[in-house]
Amino acid sequence: LQGGRVHGGLLGAATVLLEAETERLRTTLAERPGYRLVLMGHSVGGSIAALLGLLLQGNEAFMSALRASASQQDQGQAAG
């Protein structure tokens, strides 16, 4: 992953989660302008959350949705 090494089980878990939830996250961000995504966890969950963040960075469609949501929030704060 990004030129490094990672535990196969943790990467597998992050990949399965990404495949299962990317569309739901993208839809949620589109429906709720200004929402931001926070990935967090404890212990193994923290490791999976970190890997999920790295995987999402490589997903241009998702990152575009995230940037659009953040941009809408910034515009709303500037208007208010």
Side-chain angles (χ1 to χ4, degrees):
L1 185 63
Q2 296 188 351
R5 296 176 60 155
V6 64
H7 186 278
L10 295 175
L11 181 58
T15 301
V16 167
L17 185 58
L18 177 70
E19 291 170 356
E21 300 299 332
T22 298
E23 189 56 38
R24 183 188 326 246
L25 290 171
R26 193 174 10 205
T27 301
T28 299
L29 289 170
E31 292 173 350
R32 294 168 177 85
Y35 272 39
R36 296 182 187 252
L37 178 64
V38 176
L39 301 171
M40 57 186 290
H42 173 72
S43 192
V44 172
S47 298
I48 293 169
L51 290 171
L52 185 59
L54 291 172
L55 292 171
L56 285 171
Q57 284 181 338
N59 184 319
E60 187 52 41
F62 180 82
M63 292 306 294
S64 292
L66 187 59
R67 283 190 293 271
S69 180
S71 175
Q72 290 174 356
Q73 179 185 21
D74 293 344
Q75 290 173 3
Q77 289 176 349

